[in-house]
Amino acid sequence: MSCHITTAICPGSFDPVTLGHLDIISRASKIFSRIIVAVPVNPDKRYSFTVEERIDMLSKVTKAAGLFNVECDRVEGLLADYAREKGAAVVVKGLRALTDFEYEFQQALTNKKLNPSLETIFLSTSAEHMFLSSSMVKQVAGFGGDISHFVPGCILDTISERLCSRR
């Protein structure tokens, strides 16, 4: 069995970053020598935070967590092409439920067809984060709920200022 330095990409919208995202990124950083957290530019989708804001939040979160082999970047175009450009061999995706798997499996097969050297691995979400999604954080925040148990503390104020309703 050979072992070599491997770059992996953790792609996602991260709108906003949750503790579930941080869990997957952190665990991936222990497996691979270099992690690129990739935020896609998708003009067809409506986000609460800009690409630059999401990258900034991810950088703060990963730095605060001591993940020094993690970098954050934007992706314009296809992930398969981006991976080739960055020399990445692996895409890491977190799975919460069977419904996540169906979509992610389709994406993995598409990426493999576009870039045959690119592998996808799936990490199951830790039990304490299985219910957590960016959409759920936005919904709770929108109704003025406490999101401090769902997002990293170092970006809580940034997220709250944008998402929490002013009642």
Side-chain angles (χ1 to χ4, degrees):
M1 183 167 133
S2 68
C3 184
H4 50 82
I5 295 175
T6 302
T7 297
I9 298 175
C10 286
S13 297
F14 306 105
D15 187 45
V17 182
T18 69
L19 290 172
H21 293 134
L22 180 57
D23 175 56
I24 295 297
I25 295 165
S26 177
R27 290 168 46 213
S29 77
K30 294 174 186 168
I31 300 168
F32 300 99
S33 52
R34 178 180 176 220
I35 299 291
I36 303 172
V37 179
V39 180
V41 175
N42 184 348
D44 297 332
K45 207 168 170 190
R46 210 174 125 234
Y47 296 103
S48 298
F49 297 91
T50 67
V51 171
E52 292 76 18
E53 289 170 327
R54 289 179 278 151
I55 290 171
D56 184 57
M57 284 189 286
L58 284 159
S59 296
K60 286 177 183 172
V61 165
T62 56
K63 183 179 179 182
L67 304 177
F68 300 112
N69 63 333
V70 174
E71 59 190 80
C72 305
D73 196 16
R74 66 190 291 138
V75 178
E76 297 190 44
L78 296 171
L79 184 64
D81 293 338
Y82 178 82
R84 189 179 292 112
E85 175 188 314
K86 294 295 183 176
V90 177
V91 172
V92 177
K93 294 298 293 190
L95 297 177
R96 291 172 302 196
L98 188 58
T99 52
D100 284 351
F101 178 76
E102 292 176 36
Y103 174 78
E104 297 299 347
F105 188 65
Q106 182 181 23
Q107 293 297 310
L109 293 174
T110 302
N111 285 329
K112 187 71 169 169
K113 191 62 132 176
L114 296 171
N115 181 346
S117 65
L118 187 61
E119 298 294 339
T120 298
I121 67 162
F122 301 106
L123 293 178
S124 57
T125 304
S126 297
E128 65 267 25
H129 302 301
M130 288 191 79
F131 68 94
L132 195 50
S133 69
S134 294
S135 298
M136 188 273 306
V137 169
K138 287 190 255 193
Q139 185 175 17
V140 171
F143 284 103
D146 179 10
I147 59 169
S148 64
H149 299 290
F150 308 140
V151 300
C154 64
I155 59 170
L156 175 61
D157 289 344
T158 301
I159 294 171
S160 295
E161 286 171 14
R162 177 73 48 89
L163 299 179
C164 290
S165 70
R166 311 227 189 280
R167 296 181 187 236

